[in-house]
Amino acid sequence: MCATAPQETLLLRQIATADALACHALSCAVNWPHRAEDWEMVIGLGHGVVVTLGEEIVATALWWPYGESHATLGMIIVSPAHQGGGIGKRLMQALFVQAQGRSLMLNATAAGEPLYAKLGFVPCGEVQQHQGETPAIAAPVLQAGMSLRLGRRADLVLLERIDRQATGLARKPMLEVLLACGECIVLERNGQPEGFSILRRFGRGLVVGPVVAATRDDAQILIAHWLHEQRGQFLRVDIQVDSGLADWLTECGLNPAGAVTSMVLGNKPNPVGPMCLYALANQALG
Ligand SMILES: CC(C)(COP(=O)(O)OP(=O)(O)OC[C@H]1O[C@@H](n2cnc3c(N)ncnc32)[C@H](O)[C@@H]1OP(=O)(O)O)[C@@H](O)C(=O)NCCC(=O)NCCS
């Protein structure tokens, strides 16, 4: 029998939520922990492209707008069989067109950093991943006047305001989705909100992020609450490397599990404070 099947070609098209399962197969091929549900969430929140070869998705790249001036890029993957052939660069060019002049931020793996550097991205920070099975941790001790309460959808405007102080970004759509699929706690002092953290299912277990607080001690309280509640669960936190939380997390049994380089093309956002972003929602969303 002679083979007369037509030669399949690589095609670039818009990503859709229905691609989540095929994207999941691709991220498994590069040993990323995302579940199909994690893909559904990030596709639903953003925009992007896939490269197909027949029925197979062989490359992905997404971006998420935060207002008109900034966006983050992520989930940039080329299947191992097709790496080194210019697809990564082609994906990035497609995102540049779609993101229309926004300043762009991403967290680069060691594999991705040379590609982004060639495209003009410059390093601006480092994110350290910590993870592990949470041992028994005491509930955080709260000082007089301090309290923790559940955050709800009705808190969205409040959370967006303090998140914007920490990031300089308009991330309401992302916070809305995280509130819907996760659990949120708000730290208050004398009835005034002074930080929050969100726990949700992700990858191999659970992730705590974002963690927004005015001080490192407050950030610790907002993480310790979940460590205490989720004893024995696999839990991940992606911290800014200058957050001062690394040693404490390691003592809590969440060991360092790799780092990525934060990079920007254009202007970094300009957070006004006093809140700081201590842990990311995840490496893609920032
Ligand atoms: C990073 C990744 C997306 C790059 O995709 P790719 O299709 O292999 O990249 P390209 O072939 O388009 O390379 C584009 C340019 O970057 C350069 N480049 C890519 N990877 C490189 C590396 N590891 N070291 C040095 N240069 C590299 C290429 O030489 C090329 O430069 P040129 O245009 O001047 O020739 C791909 O390797 C990948 O999916 N890795 C695993 C998942 C991952 O880590 N993704 C990044 C997440 S932030």
Side-chain angles (χ1 to χ4, degrees), residues 13-281:
R13 65 161 169 81
Q14 298 290 325
I15 197 165
T17 314
D19 293 322
L21 269 182
C23 292
H24 176 238
L26 177 65
S27 58
C28 288
V30 293
N31 298 317
W32 285 16
H34 302 70
R35 306 164 305 152
E37 294 93 324
D38 300 324
W39 274 100
E40 270 171 29
M41 189 187 94
V42 291
I43 296 170
L45 267 172
H47 314 277
V49 291
V50 295
V51 174
T52 59
L53 182 65
E55 295 294 300
E56 190 191 358
I57 288 180
V58 298
T60 55
L62 278 86
W63 67 281
W64 300 274
Y66 294 137
E68 293 303 314
S69 58
H70 287 82
T72 59
L73 315 186
M75 309 308 284
I76 299 160
I77 306 176
V78 176
S79 91
H82 295 87
Q83 288 174 11
I87 295 178
K89 195 172 170 182
R90 179 72 195 82
L91 292 171
M92 293 298 290
Q93 285 161 346
L95 296 194
F96 289 167
V97 171
Q98 293 192 354
Q100 288 178 341
R102 289 178 167 86
S103 292
L104 303 175
M105 299 167 293
L106 55 77
N107 290 302
T109 60
E113 201 174 333
L115 166 63
Y116 309 132
K118 279 191 178 180
L119 293 168
F121 284 81
V122 291
C124 61
E126 198 179 330
V127 170
Q128 175 76 53
Q129 176 181 338
H130 283 256
Q131 63 188 33
E133 266 180 33
T134 52
I137 303 274
V141 178
L142 303 180
Q143 296 155 358
M146 231 186 216
S147 60
L148 289 175
R149 67 164 176 86
L150 287 178
R152 300 189 179 83
R153 201 184 173 284
D155 293 308
L156 185 57
V157 171
L158 157 77
L159 298 184
E160 203 264 342
R161 180 166 54 79
I162 57 182
D163 182 80
R164 195 192 284 244
Q165 289 175 10
T167 63
L169 298 168
R171 309 203 301 173
K172 196 169 174 185
M174 178 192 86
L175 292 170
E176 189 169 14
V177 166
L178 296 183
L179 277 176
C181 70
E183 292 175 65
C184 175
I185 46 161
V186 179
L187 174 66
E188 292 185 337
R189 252 191 204 85
N190 304 316
Q192 292 304 311
E194 296 209 347
F196 72 92
S197 65
I198 300 179
L199 173 91
R200 70 180 195 281
R201 293 230 150 262
F202 170 82
R204 293 171 59 190
L206 299 164
V207 66
V208 179
V211 177
V212 172
T215 67
R216 187 186 64 183
D217 286 351
D218 287 358
Q220 257 179 236
I221 288 170
L222 286 162
I223 298 171
H225 168 84
W226 299 119
L227 295 177
H228 172 66
E229 284 219 328
Q230 301 294 330
R231 176 181 176 174
Q233 298 284 324
F234 184 85
L235 201 140
R236 168 174 173 170
V237 190
D238 292 281
I239 55 167
Q240 311 266 21
V241 89
D242 56 5
S243 66
L245 290 169
D247 290 345
W248 173 73
L249 284 172
T250 307
E251 280 165 28
C252 291
L254 301 196
N255 293 313
V260 288
T261 305
S262 303
M263 302 181 89
V264 64
L265 179 65
N267 301 318
K268 274 182 77 170
N270 199 9
V272 294
M275 296 291 155
C276 292
L277 182 70
Y278 279 88
L280 276 52

